[in-house]
Amino acid sequence: LVGSEMCIRDRNVPGVAQAVRSSGQACGAVDACTSRGVCGVSGSTVVVNLAASRQAIRDGVSTIAPLVQHLIGELNTYSVQA
């Protein structure tokens, strides 16, 4: 299913993907910093793919958690056009 998340997104959110890769590199999760790091919005849903290692997932969720409220606020403020 490589690339399948690309089809379901209405809008890319590249800054979040970069934050996940950067944070993964800082914590030593090599697979996180070399991942495709795709993040976007589909309708009113935030879609993020993470590398498969436990360390990358743990760090990715920790990185994304504080950003989710901001993203939801942005979704409520702006209409996402398909």
Side-chain angles (χ1 to χ4, degrees):
L1 296 178
V2 173
S4 62
E5 72 280 347
M6 302 279 242
C7 298
I8 63 169
R9 286 178 291 140
D10 299 326
R11 174 183 240 163
N12 289 327
V13 185
V16 174
Q18 182 56 38
V20 170
R21 282 193 299 273
S22 191
S23 179
Q25 182 178 17
C27 83
V30 177
D31 58 334
C33 65
T34 60
S35 124
R36 288 173 298 169
V38 177
C39 179
V41 174
S42 177
S44 61
T45 304
V46 177
V47 179
V48 180
N49 76 344
L50 299 172
S53 74
R54 287 182 185 199
Q55 185 177 18
I57 293 168
R58 185 173 31 249
D59 182 70
V61 170
S62 294
T63 300
I64 294 165
L67 302 174
V68 170
Q69 290 299 323
H70 174 71
L71 290 172
I72 291 170
E74 292 293 307
L75 289 173
N76 290 332
T77 302
Y78 301 104
S79 172
V80 176
Q81 301 297 318

